[in-house]
Amino acid sequence: MTGMTAGPRHLPLSKLITQAAARLRDGGVVAFPTETVYGLGADAGNPEAVRRVFEIKGRPADHPLIVHLAEAAHADAWAAEVPETARLLMARFWPGPLTLVLPARDEVPREVTGGQDSVALRAPSHPLALSLLRALAGVSGHPVGLAAPSANRFGQVSPTEAWHVRASFGGQVDQVLDGGRCRYGMESTIVSLLGERPRVLRPGALPMSALREVLGEDGIELSAGASLAPRVPGTLAAHYAPVTPLEIHAAADLGHRAETLLARGLRVAVLRRNRSMRGKPALPPLPEFLLPAPPAAYARGLYARLRELDRFAFDRLLVEAPPDEEIWWAVNDRLSRAAASARHLERS
Ligand code: TXA
Ligand code: MG
């Protein structure tokens, strides 16, 4: 590791990208923006560099990384087989917030795949991510893949702004490319093409309705145990946890739950959708934080809001449950994981 952080601010963006590409070629780790969340990238063909990503993130070695590509044509360098359905999805949604899991070629480093015989591929649409991939290919002399998990410490919510990455990793990464706020603020949708039918492994920024447009109404399976509503806390591995323990409640129950916790002397805050309490009984006097009511805007702001809230060190955050509708699947999934982690922390 070079011990250097982001380049001097006066450098033009093109120079920062060239610098980042050179660092990646030399085995460095560079955080970069994508349209979903920030990624912590290393040259996917360099096992040593990929191991550093795991180290910095504190991620267990058997959790595979997504390989980011400049274009769909590069998928064949990583996937042993690219079925017709995969090509259809790539043609329609790449570059964009869709990750495809395909059988891996033998040459793909096992550091990237976590020892599995499949590989996750995605072409990001953020112009800075694409420029970085092209610059890295330029200095490497061949097409490349950038192995990158979300640029957060393992178990924390994903970063949607450059300062989130700097706050987590400071000088531990060689460079942080600042591309402003991420457009989706939610991780990519992951679809496995290993089985008979495409299967959603993780709901994300690409909505199910978009996938159905290409695959047909019955063309896609949900992963085992996936449900659209917030899941029962405690059944999920601790993940996506903000620091403040959170609970999810229907709008009508927020007031009562808040009273109970306040009576126990806890410092409580509420996170709810804009205008959601219209016509409902007033909440007790509490700090209230809002997110926009439409699902895409809510998703875009969620992680940043949770990070911001953590700074107040409330004892408990009461989150108003978003609607139990498919368009809210990714948000409900992340919220219930965060709530499950909070339970987990309380028990331990
Ligand atoms: O939007 C995103 O997907 C962001 C940006 C940076 O691209 N990346 C991201 O990476 O969310 P990460 O590492 O936080 O999540 C990747 C997910 C993990 O849940 C991992 O288990 C899954 O992808 N994954 C990777 N390779 C896989 C494989 N071969 N089979 C099944 N799941 C895989
Ligand atoms: Mg992640």
Side-chain angles (χ1 to χ4, degrees):
M1 134 156 203
T2 63
M4 296 182 74
T5 51
R9 281 180 188 275
H10 61 265
L11 277 185
L13 194 53
S14 61
K15 283 267 164 42
L16 291 172
I17 291 170
T18 312
Q19 197 174 52
R23 285 177 172 150
L24 287 167
R25 177 203 54 203
D26 297 340
V29 172
V30 171
F32 63 99
T34 82
E35 71 280 21
T36 58
V37 300
Y38 276 75
L40 194 61
D43 177 352
N46 181 340
E48 189 65 36
V50 175
R51 273 198 292 274
R52 266 197 63 212
V53 170
F54 279 87
E55 254 170 53
I56 293 173
K57 196 175 153 86
R59 178 169 171 131
D62 58 355
H63 279 54
L65 305 185
I66 295 172
V67 178
H68 297 72
L69 306 174
E71 52 185 286
H74 298 166
D76 298 273
W78 300 89
E81 197 192 323
V82 182
E84 197 48 41
T85 315
R87 301 225 186 256
L88 272 174
L89 292 171
M90 290 172 186
R92 177 71 180 79
F93 298 117
W94 281 12
L98 174 68
T99 296
L100 298 176
V101 174
L102 295 163
R105 293 179 74 108
D106 292 339
E107 309 86 84
V108 181
R110 43 181 304 117
E111 283 76 5
V112 172
T113 63
Q116 307 195 47
D117 49 15
S118 58
V119 65
L121 302 175
R122 153 167 135 78
S125 66
H126 195 294
L128 241 165
L130 285 170
S131 301
L132 181 62
L133 279 162
R134 293 195 187 112
L136 178 57
V139 293
S140 306
H142 53 82
V144 290
L146 260 183
S150 52
N152 51 283
R153 286 195 190 286
F154 184 66
Q156 297 296 318
V157 297
S158 294
T160 57
E161 296 180 37
W163 75 263
H164 296 163
V165 182
R166 294 201 188 96
S168 293
F169 298 117
Q172 280 182 290
V173 298
D174 297 308
Q175 194 170 334
V176 179
L177 282 173
D178 190 338
R181 279 189 196 160
C182 299
R183 173 170 154 210
Y184 293 102
M186 171 59 65
E187 299 87 348
S188 62
T189 301
I190 305 183
V191 173
S192 166
L193 293 164
L194 300 176
E196 291 264 299
R197 281 207 301 172
R199 176 187 291 269
V200 179
L201 301 183
R202 178 179 74 182
L206 187 76
M208 294 295 292
S209 54
L211 287 170
R212 283 205 199 87
E213 267 174 38
V214 173
L215 300 172
E217 281 305 312
D218 301 321
I220 187 138
E221 285 176 26
L222 308 188
S223 51
S227 96
L228 304 182
R231 291 188 254 182
V232 184
T235 60
L236 292 154
H239 211 54
Y240 299 104
V243 175
T244 312
L246 72 82
E247 300 178 4
I248 306 165
H249 295 284
D253 300 334
L254 284 175
H256 181 69
R257 182 62 182 156
E259 300 279 12
T260 308
L261 296 174
L262 289 171
R264 277 164 52 189
L266 297 188
R267 295 180 63 240
V268 179
V270 166
L271 176 63
R272 61 178 183 82
R273 289 167 73 205
N274 199 13
R275 294 191 287 276
S276 64
M277 297 307 280
R278 279 186 181 171
K280 302 217 168 63
L283 295 175
L286 284 173
E288 280 185 62
F289 296 81
L290 296 181
L291 280 167
Y298 185 107
R300 186 181 308 129
L302 176 63
Y303 290 154
R305 221 16 161 195
L306 291 174
R307 279 181 190 256
E308 181 185 295
L309 265 156
D310 278 342
R311 298 210 249 172
F312 294 93
F314 292 108
D315 298 314
R316 199 65 52 87
L317 177 66
L318 302 183
V319 180
E320 175 204 0
D324 178 10
E325 291 163 13
E326 189 178 82
I327 190 72
W328 288 91
W329 186 17
V331 161
N332 281 330
D333 173 78
R334 304 308 190 271
L335 281 176
S336 38
R337 284 167 194 274
S341 305
R343 289 280 177 99
H344 175 83
L345 288 176
E346 268 178 62
R347 277 197 305 267
S348 58

